[in-house]
Amino acid sequence: MRFNNPVVKGMYPDPSVCKVKDTYYLACSSFQYFPGVPLFESKDLINWKPIGHCLTRQSQIQLDKVNSSGGVFAPTLRYHNGRFYMTTTNDTTRQNFYVWTDDIYGEWSDPINVDQGGIDPDLYFEDGKAYFMSNGADDHGRGGIVQCQIDIETGCKLTPSRVIWQGTGGRYLEAPHLYKINGWYYLLAAEGGTEYGHMVTYARGPSPGGPFEAYPLNPVLTNRNLGGYEIQGVGHGDLVQDNGGNWWMLHLGFRQIGRWFAYHHLGREVFLTPVTFGENGWFTAGDNGTTLSCFETDRIPEEVVQNEKKSDTFENTEWDKDWCYLRLPRSGNYSFERNRLTLKGTEISLDQADTPTFIGIRQRDFNAVITCDVSLESGEAGITLYMDENHHYDFAIRKDENGYKVIERLNIGDIKSIEKAVDIHHSCASLIIRSTPNAYSFVVQVDGKEIHLGTAQTKYLSSEVAGGFTGVMIGLYAYGEGCLAEFSNFKCEYA
C-alpha cells in the first residue's frame, strides 16, 4: 500500500511510541500549551486518533508565565507490567519527571521527579531495573547521553549518573531511546539541532550501559542537504515493531512552505519511516537514509486506507482532545456548547507570556479556509494565527467609542500594526481567513458582502523568523474586561 507523510499533521513534535497488544500509542511535546503531552492511538501506524493528554491538572505542571517554547519538552511513552509511564522535562524549571497510569484513557499520576539534569528523558525496563536516560552532564560534569538506575516507585537514583555515549560529533546530542533487539542494546539519538541539520544516529552495545559502538554509516536517517525538498528537519525518532515483525521509526520533521523557500510555520510534525535490520545486526532507515513524503510498502495490508480529515469544526472536534489553551486557563472564562463557544475577555493580551482568554487548534496544512461567526458587545474578539506572544496575526471585531470595527493586526517582533480597519454597523460578522503556503488573506462578510482587508506573509510566523519550537495555532480569543464574545459556525477546511 501507499501512505503519505506526515501521518500526524500540525504542531505535534518529538513523537514517542509504544505498542500494547495490537494498539500503538503516541505522545508528543506540548511546550506552553495546556493540557500537556497530547496522546494518540492507532491500529495501523498511519491513522492516528487523539485520545487525550497526560498532563490534565494544573497541579501536574508549572506553566505560569512560561515563555513560548518553554514548558513541556520531549516525552517518552513506555509500557511496563501493565502500566504506562510518560517521562518528560519542564524546561522552564529544568526538572525531569514522570507520571504513570494504569488506564491511558483516564487520569495520570502526580509527577515523580528525578534528580538528573538534561532534557529528553527516556525510561528502559529490564530484570526488575528501571534505567533513566537524558542528554546532559553526569555527576562529574561530563556531557553526553547520561544514564542512572532509579527506584520506579519514588524516582530516587540508585546509581550515579554516568555518560554512556557522546554521539558522533554532531551538535546538540539529544533524544536518547534504549531498546533490546535480538540480543543487542540499541541506543537511538538525535544530533544536529531540531532544524535543517537534524539527523538520527545510533549505537549498539552488549549491555544497557554499553560500551556502545556507533553505527559505521551514521546518520541512519536525515534529510539535511536535500535542496528543493519539502520535508526537512528529520530527526528525534522512536522505534516500534509491528505485528508482522517489521520495524518502523516514528520521528519528527517539518514541511517548508516551498521547494526553494526555506521557511516553515506549521511546526514539527510526525512522520513514519520503515526500518530494516541487516544480517550484521545494524539497521537502515527510509529511502537510502532519507524520509519521503510518500512510501510504497508491503508491510501494511492493502486493505488499510489512510484517512485524512479535511475539516475541523466545533461539531467534529473535541474540546478536551483537539483544542488547547495558553498556559494555565481560567476555566470561568470559557463556556462550551456543541456548536458554540463563549469567551470572557480579561486585560491579559496575546502579546503577554501569560494566560489570555484563548483556545486554539493546530493548523494542519498550508491550504485552508478558516471561517467563524463572531459577535460581542464590548472589547475585542476574533481569530488569531498564533506562533508566539511576539508573532501572531489577529483578525477581530473591536468595539470603541465610535462603534464596531473589524481589524487586521500584524504582530511581528517589536512591530505591532493595525494594517486596516473597516467600520461595520453590527456587533457581529463572519470572519474569513484564506491560507496558502505563502500568505494569509483576511476577508470579512457583512450584510452579504465580502470586504478584503489585506494579506500577510506566512514566513513571518515561521520558526526561521520567530525562533522557538512551536507552530501556528488557529486561536479564538477575547480581550478586554467586560468583553463577552460568542463564536459559532467555526470551520477550518483544508484543500
Side-chain angles (χ1 to χ4, degrees), residues 19 139 144 155 291 322 373 380 386 389 403 409 413 447 452 461:
K19 180 173 174 287
D139 292 344
T291 290
D322 299 287
D373 295 338
E380 175 184 313
Y386 186 92
E389 54 265 24
R409 180 173 52 229
D447 296 330
H452 182 262
L461 299 185

Side-chain angles (χ1 to χ4, degrees), residues 371-376 381-383 395-398 404-407 422-432 443-451 453 486-490:
T371 58
C372 192
D373 295 338
V374 182
S375 66
L376 81 167
I383 306 171
F395 190 36
I397 302 175
R398 172 188 279 183
Y404 294 96
K405 291 179 169 58
V406 173
I407 64 168
V422 297
D423 293 320
I424 58 175
H425 303 296
H426 311 286
S427 61
C428 59
S430 295
L431 304 182
I432 304 167
V443 175
V444 60
Q445 188 176 68
V446 182
D447 296 330
K449 296 187 299 182
E450 288 193 355
I451 304 170
L453 275 76
E486 286 195 352
F487 299 79
S488 59
N489 297 318
F490 173 84

Side-chain angles (χ1 to χ4, degrees), residues 8 11-19 24-30 36-42 48-55 72-78 84-88 99 104 108 177 236-238 250-252 269-270 362:
V8 183
M11 192 270 293
Y12 290 106
D14 308 319
S16 179
V17 63
C18 69
K19 180 173 174 287
Y24 307 92
Y25 298 97
L26 183 75
C28 298
S29 295
S30 52
V37 187
L39 293 168
F40 298 82
E41 69 176 5
S42 175
W48 292 92
K49 175 186 175 183
I51 59 172
H53 297 78
C54 294
L55 306 175
V72 181
F73 274 32
T76 293
L77 185 65
R78 292 294 181 258
F84 290 92
Y85 295 87
M86 188 283 296
T87 182
T88 187
V99 293
I104 198 167
W108 291 66
H177 291 308
H236 201 117
D238 201 2
L250 276 298
H251 60 88
L252 67 76
E269 304 173 292
V270 181
R362 290 153 175 86

Side-chain angles (χ1 to χ4, degrees), residues 59 105 114 147 253 339 354 412 421 462 472:
S59 61
Y105 306 101
V114 178
Q147 182 189 83
N339 59 359
D354 206 327
I412 304 169
S462 70
V472 168

Side-chain angles (χ1 to χ4, degrees), residues 3 96 121 123 161 195 227 247 280 290 332 348 387 483 486:
F3 71 88
N96 285 316
L123 276 173
S161 298
E195 50 205 52
W247 285 91
N280 57 7
T290 65
I348 299 172
M387 182 61 164
C483 175
E486 286 195 352

Side-chain angles (χ1 to χ4, degrees), residues 57-260:
R57 304 186 300 278
Q58 296 187 11
S59 61
Q60 291 174 304
I61 184 65
Q62 158 55 25
L63 291 177
D64 186 42
K65 295 180 174 60
V66 164
N67 287 328
S68 291
S69 294
V72 181
F73 274 32
T76 293
L77 185 65
R78 292 294 181 258
Y79 181 79
H80 177 66
N81 284 347
R83 178 165 288 178
F84 290 92
Y85 295 87
M86 188 283 296
T87 182
T88 187
T89 305
N90 185 342
D91 186 65
T92 302
T93 61
R94 306 303 294 181
Q95 180 65 60
N96 285 316
F97 66 93
Y98 58 93
V99 293
W100 59 266
T101 186
D102 296 330
D103 176 13
I104 198 167
Y105 306 101
E107 289 289 310
W108 291 66
S109 72
D110 286 333
I112 300 172
N113 294 331
V114 178
D115 187 21
Q116 178 169 289
I119 60 172
D120 299 2
D122 180 63
L123 276 173
Y124 174 75
F125 297 93
E126 182 175 276
D127 296 335
K129 298 176 180 178
Y131 296 86
F132 186 88
M133 285 146 287
S134 59
N135 81 323
D138 66 12
D139 292 344
H140 304 287
R142 183 169 175 245
I145 302 300
V146 180
Q147 182 189 83
C148 67
Q149 290 183 39
I150 63 170
D151 180 338
I152 196 61
E153 297 297 323
T154 66
C156 292
K157 287 172 59 173
L158 302 177
T159 65
S161 298
R162 68 182 189 92
V163 171
I164 58 172
W165 194 46
Q166 291 187 294
T168 67
R171 66 176 182 166
Y172 305 136
L173 176 64
E174 58 191 354
H177 291 308
L178 186 65
Y179 321 85
K180 186 177 183 181
I181 305 171
N182 299 327
W184 285 100
Y185 294 85
Y186 292 84
L187 182 60
L188 199 68
E191 301 181 55
T194 184
E195 50 205 52
Y196 290 87
H198 213 198
M199 54 185 172
V200 179
T201 61
Y202 77 96
R204 71 180 186 187
S207 76
F212 287 99
E213 175 191 2
Y215 172 50
L217 300 178
N218 271 322
V220 66
L221 185 70
T222 186
N223 281 23
R224 65 182 184 181
N225 299 325
L226 293 181
Y229 198 73
E230 181 188 43
I231 299 171
Q232 301 285 344
V234 166
H236 201 117
D238 201 2
L239 297 176
V240 68
Q241 189 177 30
D242 68 19
N243 290 326
N246 303 299
W247 285 91
W248 300 85
M249 188 185 300
L250 276 298
H251 60 88
L252 67 76
F254 57 78
R255 291 175 286 165
Q256 63 183 33
I257 63 179
R259 289 189 64 194
W260 306 105

